[in-house]
Amino acid sequence: MHTLNTTTGSQDPNLDPIPDPDQFPNRNRNNPQSRRPRGFAAAAAAASIAPTENDVNNGNIAGIGGGEGSSSGGGGGGKGKREREKEKERTKLRERHRRAITSRMLAGLRQYGNFPLPARADMNDVIAALAREAGWSVDADGTTYRQSHQPNNVVQFPTRSIESPLSSSTLKNCAKAALECQQHSVLRIDENLSPVSLDSVVIAESDHPGNGRYTGASPITSVGCLEANQLIQDVHSAEPRNDFTESFYVPVYAMLPVGIIDSFGQLVDPEGVRQELSYMKSLNVDGVVIDCWWGIVEGWNPQKYVWSGYRELFNIIRDFKLKLQQLVYKYLKVVMAFHEYGGNASGNVMISLPQWVLEVGKDNPDIFFTDREGRRSFECLNWSIDKERVLHGRTGIEVYFDFMRSFRSEFDDLFVEGLIAAVEIGLGASGELKYPSFPERMGWIYPGIGEFQCYDKYSQLNLQKEAKSRGFAFWGKGPENAGQYNSQPHETGFFQERGEYDSYYGRFFLNWYSQLLIGHAENVLSLANLAFEETKIIVKIPAIYWSYKTASHAAELTAGYYNPSNRDGYSLVFETLKKYSVTAKFVCPGPQMSPNAHEEALADPEGLSWQVINAAWDKGLLIGGENMITCFDREGCMRLIDIAKPRNHPDSYHFSFFTYHQPSPLVQGSTCFPDLDYFIKRMHGDIQR
């Protein structure tokens, strides 16, 4: 046997010489035949090809345990191959379990420790953040050191540095005397701050020498003690403040109630609208939000738009000089509402999709989303017909574009005046970017996981085509074990812990399902930018926070957000929104359930809010908010403020606006939110906690 010294790569002198390759002219030098390693060598070889974290995240770990190349020279047989496959699967499960634990740890550090960790942080990021918190310096290459034992509450000012000429003992005595004289200030000094480290601390240079900045702060008159006192006050002034976000101005907009425009497109109660606007103005609301319903404006005939009621309404708003949505100033915002209203909520108002669309649906019900049992959802049009000419010769996105273009043309004068400063585009159920996976008319009750909405013929053809392109035609169907609307994740084979959602087929299906959502957003937003040119575009993002504490995040998956515990499902969505300069509007969850109810639902509203909001900020998006529920006590009010204006955010990020939504007029239902006036003042920064 001929071997090499594995440490140095040289030949072992105690063994026979290695034959000259030229003696074997038929041997392939570039691809020599490999032998299967045995014993400890096999363990070492397996360790050398251990999967990286990215491999685990992407599911690319099929090669663990050897492949064709490693088995070509051995005779392991079928039994050994099966064992290797089992070990590969066990390795995947261990890695996913580890990633789930890591994800929860990172979420806790971000939420409760205010650590500015990136979205895809690893343990290196955590260790670096902890080291910096402890006062250490960590370079980009990982070099870690403690520079001059400098505490973390001392700030290096962008000025020249001078070394103190004082001796350690003199400085220590002067510092002690200065502390005794400062009875009215609270000063925190790190116990590790030795006289030696104080000598090297940078002192801020005064803009005007002799300006008396430090005179009167201490009765010490010597030059040495004056500089020591100056040093201590610089340390005190550099302490971080916890309320720097309190003064930020976050505009608050109020939605006008649904039903002010009737099904024939006429304004119902002009005087009631004036009273409502007058009350909003007394609260110092920054602007109003109005839904422009597709089912009303184009309700009876295709491409016949009735805008007369909205024209009258906008003229009244113009008289009150309230504009629709822009920072600080008082603007008006309109919503292109391409969904139905009233199907999932109690109340007297019901706004359906246009009647002519419903007539088309009678002959071709596949234009609507469909669940596994074949039940149709009439909340919005199916995204799979975006490019299908099934609506009187028009595609889905052409219908949306014609509606938006008609609005832009009809109210061109308001755009020119700047009265309409933002347009929100409805992209799915409830005007949010999501599938209609939680229909109450189908019997859904919180916290059910919902159902996939992809069993119409157009979606199924799309899925089959995608599966064939991947070489797995049998994947061209929806999951058969995903439960029903009110199922819980552990009750299903697809969503349970280590369920089929994380199999090769599950990952393929969920990726396809979420890409339909992203593709629909891209199709409509590209035309919205064309229709509204330089006007700000807004998209509403849902808050699907139940089942968030499970590994699968089942409710998010059925709604179209591929966001299990080992994958970030919001970054790709926000990348698309960033492409079209969109502002996101997050529907902030409210305290509608007790903590025990949230535990039973495996819900985590705070965790979801943190992930969505910070994912948007990480992509450079502006983000605003809207309340999910309409009635708040003081505690709920404070929670909304904390979401909109997070305290101690390292980059001082905060919401760019907030929309207060209440179904009934504020004049009639103001008692539902008794602290509304206080809430607006807090958002404006007029008062602080």
Short mmCIF file of all heavy atoms in Angstrom, two decimals, residues 312-339:
data_model
loop_
_atom_site.label_atom_id
_atom_site.label_comp_id
_atom_site.label_asym_id
_atom_site.label_seq_id
_atom_site.Cartn_x
_atom_site.Cartn_y
_atom_site.Cartn_z
N GLU A 312 -68.33 65.13 -5.58
CA GLU A 312 -68.98 65.96 -4.56
C GLU A 312 -68.26 65.84 -3.22
O GLU A 312 -68.06 66.85 -2.51
CB GLU A 312 -70.44 65.55 -4.42
CG GLU A 312 -71.24 66.43 -3.46
CD GLU A 312 -72.70 66.02 -3.37
OE1 GLU A 312 -73.09 65.06 -4.07
OE2 GLU A 312 -73.45 66.66 -2.59
N LEU A 313 -67.86 64.65 -2.86
CA LEU A 313 -67.16 64.43 -1.59
C LEU A 313 -65.82 65.16 -1.58
O LEU A 313 -65.47 65.84 -0.59
CB LEU A 313 -66.95 62.93 -1.38
CG LEU A 313 -66.12 62.51 -0.16
CD1 LEU A 313 -66.77 62.99 1.12
CD2 LEU A 313 -65.94 60.99 -0.14
N PHE A 314 -65.05 65.07 -2.65
CA PHE A 314 -63.75 65.72 -2.69
C PHE A 314 -63.88 67.24 -2.66
O PHE A 314 -63.03 67.94 -2.10
CB PHE A 314 -62.98 65.29 -3.95
CG PHE A 314 -62.56 63.84 -3.93
CD1 PHE A 314 -62.28 63.16 -5.10
CD2 PHE A 314 -62.47 63.14 -2.73
CE1 PHE A 314 -61.92 61.84 -5.09
CE2 PHE A 314 -62.09 61.81 -2.71
CZ PHE A 314 -61.82 61.15 -3.89
N ASN A 315 -64.94 67.76 -3.24
CA ASN A 315 -65.15 69.20 -3.17
C ASN A 315 -65.42 69.66 -1.74
O ASN A 315 -64.96 70.74 -1.33
CB ASN A 315 -66.32 69.61 -4.08
CG ASN A 315 -65.96 69.53 -5.55
OD1 ASN A 315 -64.78 69.57 -5.92
ND2 ASN A 315 -66.97 69.40 -6.42
N ILE A 316 -66.15 68.86 -0.98
CA ILE A 316 -66.38 69.20 0.42
C ILE A 316 -65.07 69.18 1.20
O ILE A 316 -64.78 70.07 2.02
CB ILE A 316 -67.40 68.22 1.04
CG1 ILE A 316 -68.77 68.40 0.38
CG2 ILE A 316 -67.51 68.43 2.55
CD1 ILE A 316 -69.81 67.38 0.84
N ILE A 317 -64.25 68.17 0.94
CA ILE A 317 -62.96 68.07 1.62
C ILE A 317 -62.07 69.25 1.25
O ILE A 317 -61.36 69.81 2.10
CB ILE A 317 -62.27 66.74 1.27
CG1 ILE A 317 -63.09 65.58 1.82
CG2 ILE A 317 -60.85 66.69 1.80
CD1 ILE A 317 -62.58 64.22 1.39
N ARG A 318 -62.13 69.65 0.00
CA ARG A 318 -61.34 70.81 -0.43
C ARG A 318 -61.75 72.06 0.34
O ARG A 318 -60.89 72.87 0.71
CB ARG A 318 -61.52 71.01 -1.94
CG ARG A 318 -60.84 72.26 -2.48
CD ARG A 318 -61.26 72.51 -3.91
NE ARG A 318 -60.55 71.68 -4.85
CZ ARG A 318 -60.97 71.45 -6.09
NH1 ARG A 318 -62.13 71.94 -6.50
NH2 ARG A 318 -60.25 70.71 -6.91
N ASP A 319 -63.03 72.19 0.60
CA ASP A 319 -63.50 73.35 1.37
C ASP A 319 -62.93 73.34 2.79
O ASP A 319 -62.69 74.40 3.37
CB ASP A 319 -65.03 73.37 1.43
CG ASP A 319 -65.64 73.60 0.06
OD1 ASP A 319 -64.94 74.14 -0.81
OD2 ASP A 319 -66.82 73.23 -0.14
N PHE A 320 -62.73 72.16 3.36
CA PHE A 320 -62.16 72.07 4.70
C PHE A 320 -60.63 72.13 4.68
O PHE A 320 -60.00 72.09 5.74
CB PHE A 320 -62.60 70.76 5.36
CG PHE A 320 -63.92 70.87 6.06
CD1 PHE A 320 -65.11 70.71 5.38
CD2 PHE A 320 -63.97 71.17 7.42
CE1 PHE A 320 -66.33 70.82 6.02
CE2 PHE A 320 -65.19 71.28 8.07
CZ PHE A 320 -66.38 71.10 7.38
N LYS A 321 -60.07 72.17 3.48
CA LYS A 321 -58.62 72.25 3.33
C LYS A 321 -57.90 71.09 4.02
O LYS A 321 -56.83 71.24 4.60
CB LYS A 321 -58.07 73.59 3.84
CG LYS A 321 -58.67 74.79 3.15
CD LYS A 321 -58.01 76.07 3.60
CE LYS A 321 -58.69 77.28 2.98
NZ LYS A 321 -58.68 77.23 1.51
N LEU A 322 -58.51 69.94 3.96
CA LEU A 322 -57.85 68.71 4.40
C LEU A 322 -57.36 67.99 3.15
O LEU A 322 -58.13 67.82 2.21
CB LEU A 322 -58.81 67.81 5.17
CG LEU A 322 -59.19 68.25 6.58
CD1 LEU A 322 -60.29 67.35 7.10
CD2 LEU A 322 -57.99 68.18 7.50
N LYS A 323 -56.14 67.58 3.16
CA LYS A 323 -55.58 66.88 2.01
C LYS A 323 -55.35 65.42 2.37
O LYS A 323 -55.35 65.05 3.54
CB LYS A 323 -54.28 67.54 1.56
CG LYS A 323 -54.47 69.00 1.14
CD LYS A 323 -53.19 69.58 0.61
CE LYS A 323 -53.38 71.02 0.19
NZ LYS A 323 -52.14 71.63 -0.32
N LEU A 324 -55.13 64.60 1.33
CA LEU A 324 -55.01 63.17 1.56
C LEU A 324 -53.56 62.75 1.60
O LEU A 324 -52.96 62.53 0.57
CB LEU A 324 -55.72 62.38 0.46
CG LEU A 324 -57.22 62.59 0.35
CD1 LEU A 324 -57.78 61.76 -0.75
CD2 LEU A 324 -57.95 62.31 1.61
N GLN A 325 -52.99 62.65 2.71
CA GLN A 325 -51.79 61.92 3.10
C GLN A 325 -50.46 62.44 2.58
O GLN A 325 -49.99 62.04 1.53
CB GLN A 325 -51.92 60.45 2.68
CG GLN A 325 -50.74 59.64 3.05
CD GLN A 325 -51.02 58.75 4.20
OE1 GLN A 325 -52.14 58.46 4.48
NE2 GLN A 325 -50.02 58.36 4.89
N GLN A 326 -49.83 63.21 3.34
CA GLN A 326 -48.41 63.48 3.14
C GLN A 326 -47.86 63.99 4.45
O GLN A 326 -48.59 64.56 5.24
CB GLN A 326 -48.16 64.50 2.03
CG GLN A 326 -46.68 64.64 1.69
CD GLN A 326 -46.47 65.35 0.37
OE1 GLN A 326 -47.40 65.49 -0.41
NE2 GLN A 326 -45.28 65.80 0.14
N LEU A 327 -46.58 63.79 4.67
CA LEU A 327 -46.00 64.06 5.97
C LEU A 327 -46.21 65.50 6.40
O LEU A 327 -46.01 66.43 5.62
CB LEU A 327 -44.51 63.72 5.96
CG LEU A 327 -44.17 62.25 5.70
CD1 LEU A 327 -42.68 62.05 5.72
CD2 LEU A 327 -44.84 61.36 6.71
N VAL A 328 -46.57 65.69 7.65
CA VAL A 328 -46.71 66.96 8.34
C VAL A 328 -47.87 67.80 7.81
O VAL A 328 -48.65 68.33 8.58
CB VAL A 328 -45.40 67.77 8.29
CG1 VAL A 328 -45.57 69.08 9.03
CG2 VAL A 328 -44.26 66.97 8.92
N TYR A 329 -48.02 67.90 6.51
CA TYR A 329 -49.10 68.71 5.97
C TYR A 329 -50.41 67.93 5.97
O TYR A 329 -50.43 66.72 6.16
CB TYR A 329 -48.74 69.14 4.55
CG TYR A 329 -47.43 69.86 4.48
CD1 TYR A 329 -46.29 69.20 4.04
CD2 TYR A 329 -47.31 71.18 4.89
CE1 TYR A 329 -45.07 69.85 4.00
CE2 TYR A 329 -46.10 71.83 4.84
CZ TYR A 329 -44.98 71.17 4.39
OH TYR A 329 -43.78 71.80 4.37
N LYS A 330 -51.48 68.61 5.72
CA LYS A 330 -52.80 67.98 5.78
C LYS A 330 -53.24 67.59 4.37
O LYS A 330 -53.60 68.45 3.57
CB LYS A 330 -53.82 68.92 6.44
CG LYS A 330 -53.44 69.28 7.87
CD LYS A 330 -54.51 70.09 8.52
CE LYS A 330 -54.11 70.52 9.92
NZ LYS A 330 -53.85 69.38 10.79
N TYR A 331 -53.20 66.29 4.10
CA TYR A 331 -53.48 65.79 2.77
C TYR A 331 -54.56 64.72 2.80
O TYR A 331 -54.94 64.23 3.85
CB TYR A 331 -52.21 65.22 2.13
CG TYR A 331 -51.28 66.27 1.60
CD1 TYR A 331 -50.34 66.87 2.43
CD2 TYR A 331 -51.35 66.68 0.28
CE1 TYR A 331 -49.50 67.84 1.95
CE2 TYR A 331 -50.51 67.66 -0.21
CZ TYR A 331 -49.57 68.23 0.63
OH TYR A 331 -48.74 69.19 0.16
N LEU A 332 -55.01 64.31 1.60
CA LEU A 332 -56.04 63.31 1.44
C LEU A 332 -55.45 62.09 0.74
O LEU A 332 -54.63 62.22 -0.16
CB LEU A 332 -57.19 63.90 0.63
CG LEU A 332 -58.33 62.98 0.23
CD1 LEU A 332 -59.65 63.68 0.44
CD2 LEU A 332 -58.22 62.54 -1.21
N LYS A 333 -55.85 60.90 1.17
CA LYS A 333 -55.39 59.66 0.56
C LYS A 333 -56.60 58.88 0.07
O LYS A 333 -57.63 58.83 0.74
CB LYS A 333 -54.61 58.82 1.57
CG LYS A 333 -53.98 57.57 0.97
CD LYS A 333 -53.36 56.69 2.03
CE LYS A 333 -54.44 55.94 2.76
NZ LYS A 333 -53.88 54.91 3.65
N VAL A 334 -56.46 58.27 -1.10
CA VAL A 334 -57.53 57.46 -1.65
C VAL A 334 -57.07 56.02 -1.78
O VAL A 334 -55.87 55.74 -1.93
CB VAL A 334 -58.00 57.99 -3.03
CG1 VAL A 334 -58.64 59.34 -2.89
CG2 VAL A 334 -56.83 58.05 -4.00
N VAL A 335 -58.03 55.10 -1.70
CA VAL A 335 -57.74 53.67 -1.77
C VAL A 335 -58.44 53.10 -2.99
O VAL A 335 -59.65 53.26 -3.14
CB VAL A 335 -58.21 52.94 -0.49
CG1 VAL A 335 -57.91 51.45 -0.59
CG2 VAL A 335 -57.56 53.54 0.74
N MET A 336 -57.67 52.46 -3.86
CA MET A 336 -58.25 51.74 -4.98
C MET A 336 -58.71 50.37 -4.45
O MET A 336 -57.91 49.43 -4.31
CB MET A 336 -57.24 51.56 -6.10
CG MET A 336 -56.68 52.86 -6.67
SD MET A 336 -57.86 53.77 -7.70
CE MET A 336 -58.41 55.03 -6.53
N ALA A 337 -60.00 50.27 -4.11
CA ALA A 337 -60.52 49.09 -3.41
C ALA A 337 -61.07 48.10 -4.43
O ALA A 337 -62.21 48.24 -4.91
CB ALA A 337 -61.60 49.51 -2.42
N PHE A 338 -60.27 47.07 -4.74
CA PHE A 338 -60.67 46.07 -5.72
C PHE A 338 -61.21 44.81 -5.04
O PHE A 338 -61.15 43.72 -5.61
CB PHE A 338 -59.48 45.69 -6.61
CG PHE A 338 -58.98 46.83 -7.46
CD1 PHE A 338 -57.75 47.43 -7.20
CD2 PHE A 338 -59.73 47.30 -8.52
CE1 PHE A 338 -57.28 48.46 -7.99
CE2 PHE A 338 -59.28 48.33 -9.32
CZ PHE A 338 -58.05 48.93 -9.05
N HIS A 339 -61.73 44.94 -3.83
CA HIS A 339 -62.24 43.79 -3.09
C HIS A 339 -63.66 44.09 -2.61
O HIS A 339 -64.14 45.21 -2.72
CB HIS A 339 -61.33 43.50 -1.88
CG HIS A 339 -61.23 44.65 -0.92
ND1 HIS A 339 -60.43 45.76 -1.18
CD2 HIS A 339 -61.82 44.90 0.28
CE1 HIS A 339 -60.53 46.61 -0.18
NE2 HIS A 339 -61.37 46.12 0.72
#
